[in-house]
Amino acid sequence: MAAVDSFPLLYREIARSCSCYVETLALVGALYTVSKAVTLMRDCYSLIRLHFIPRLVYPRDLVHRYGKWAIISGASEMIAKAYAEELARHGVCIILISTDSTTLNDITRTISDTHGVEAVLMQADFSHGALTCKPIKDAIKDKDIGFVINCLNLSLDIPRDFHDISENELWQIVNNTVSAASLITRLALPGMAERRRGAVVNISSGRCSRPCARKAVLSASTAFFDHFSRALRYEYGHHGVFVQSLLPGSVASEGDDGSIITGWLVPKPHVYARHALSTLGISHRTTGYWPHTLQLGLVRCVPEWIWVLGERVMCRKT
């Protein structure tokens, strides 16, 4: 102890003995910083390549690449109607399928008159069982089906306790979301695989990409749509069928007074559809809209318990 009679001398002795560890930690820190910088640059490049470059190039010939006809399931949803109009703008003929066809007469007529393509409206309630498929099968017979668009019923986004949903309502939800998407895709896939071209797009909800309290049905349906898309991609990708899972954030909807509140993070449906369609053939799993991609990236960084807590607070407010 006599040899160490001052703090500076003690510090120098300790620093000399720990110098190798300090250098090692500095190297680890530098490698970590470099890896994070590379990841950030890669994400920025992916964002530009997916959401900006495709919108700058000359519009693609979707009919030649995928096919002449598109089936739109869940066509009463705002996103589905906007996506149908965007496809029609590219010369694609449309088959709209909904449980309530009376609300889609105007949009069907508008698509046909505005874009000069054929537009067919069909009513199909899959809660009635597999017999619902026969009229659809007859309608698509001998047609060059190039697109199958399955849109989740976003009215499920309203917070509700699971036990408050009646058995009949739950059966209808399951049949007209999970069953409808599965059966309609099943009807079109053989022709797509035979022609070695086509696209299947399943639109769910990026807001429920993680478990959400009081939105159990929407969360589960989103998980099904997402995993269904990813599985079909590996199964039919080598047959020339492009399968995409769209996980949009908030998209503007019409209020009770007819007004539509929009913003940078809440685009109008036709704006979202235009962005989303530009990602077709490029990304198998995306939000379809670059601000939503930033949102989803932040959500993935949040621990699940914080996410669930925030969802509970938001549900109480609504």
Side-chain angles (χ1 to χ4, degrees):
M1 295 299 293
V4 183
D5 57 356
S6 67
F7 180 76
L9 179 60
L10 178 62
Y11 176 78
R12 284 197 299 271
E13 290 296 327
I14 295 175
R16 187 181 300 112
S17 62
C18 296
S19 60
C20 61
Y21 299 107
V22 172
E23 292 175 0
T24 302
L25 290 174
L27 179 61
V28 171
L31 292 176
Y32 179 79
T33 303
V34 170
S35 67
K36 288 299 181 182
V38 171
T39 301
L40 179 62
M41 293 175 62
R42 184 196 63 192
D43 291 343
C44 291
Y45 168 73
S46 299
L47 189 72
I48 294 172
R49 181 184 66 86
L50 175 60
H51 294 287
F52 293 96
I53 294 179
R55 292 178 54 78
L56 297 176
V57 300
Y58 187 79
R60 298 166 293 169
D61 187 351
L62 296 180
V63 174
H64 176 75
R65 183 171 180 178
Y66 296 106
K68 179 67 176 177
W69 285 84
I71 305 174
I72 314 290
S73 174
S76 58
E77 299 297 320
M78 294 287 289
I79 295 179
K81 288 186 283 189
Y83 207 102
E85 288 196 71
E86 190 63 24
L87 285 174
R89 194 170 68 89
H90 287 267
V92 179
C93 298
I94 305 297
I95 300 176
L96 298 173
I97 300 177
S98 176
T99 55
D100 184 10
S101 61
T102 57
T103 61
L104 296 174
N105 288 321
D106 291 340
I107 190 66
T108 305
R109 193 179 306 107
T110 300
I111 289 175
S112 181
D113 295 342
T114 304
H115 304 288
V117 298
E118 291 185 64
V120 179
L121 176 59
M122 297 188 65
Q123 182 170 335
D125 188 350
F126 285 86
S127 62
H128 295 157
L131 292 176
T132 310
C133 294
K134 189 177 185 308
I136 300 174
K137 189 174 182 179
D138 294 338
I140 67 176
K141 186 179 180 181
D142 301 327
K143 283 186 171 63
D144 180 15
I145 303 296
F147 302 86
V148 174
I149 316 298
N150 297 308
C151 189
L152 190 61
N153 182 3
L154 295 182
S155 64
L156 302 176
D157 198 25
I158 301 174
R160 296 176 63 186
D161 291 327
F162 186 72
H163 68 268
D164 287 338
I165 304 175
S166 66
E167 293 181 10
N168 290 335
E169 186 179 0
L170 194 57
W171 273 113
Q172 288 183 345
I173 291 172
V174 171
N175 286 324
N176 287 307
T177 53
V178 173
S179 298
S182 303
L183 291 171
I184 291 175
T185 303
R186 168 64 181 80
L187 291 175
L189 267 178
M192 291 181 176
E194 182 180 352
R195 293 186 292 270
R196 301 193 67 81
R197 63 173 185 171
V200 177
V201 180
N202 294 314
I203 307 173
S204 52
S205 172
R207 288 168 293 171
C208 285
S209 57
R210 305 183 78 171
C212 296
R214 302 188 67 200
K215 296 180 183 179
V217 177
L218 181 60
S219 296
S221 300
T222 295
F224 171 81
F225 271 49
D226 190 31
H227 283 264
F228 182 50
S229 303
R230 295 161 73 180
L232 286 179
R233 168 195 170 188
Y234 294 118
E235 188 174 348
Y236 286 92
H238 64 283
H239 288 292
V241 180
F242 188 88
V243 185
Q244 184 182 57
S245 175
L246 279 182
L247 298 162
S250 297
V251 177
S253 58
E254 187 174 336
D256 296 334
D257 57 353
S259 62
I260 298 180
I261 301 176
T262 63
W264 179 61
L265 294 175
V266 186
K268 292 182 179 179
H270 74 273
V271 173
Y272 173 80
R274 190 163 299 175
H275 279 79
L277 188 58
S278 69
T279 68
L280 187 64
I282 301 174
S283 176
H284 292 279
R285 188 171 185 256
T286 177
T287 64
Y289 182 60
W290 70 270
H292 291 172
T293 299
L294 297 179
Q295 283 183 309
L296 189 59
L298 292 175
V299 166
R300 289 171 178 168
C301 296
V302 177
E304 185 168 307
W305 69 270
I306 296 180
W307 168 260
V308 173
L309 180 62
E311 278 293 315
R312 286 177 177 173
V313 171
M314 295 300 296
C315 287
R316 288 174 183 173
K317 290 181 178 180
T318 55

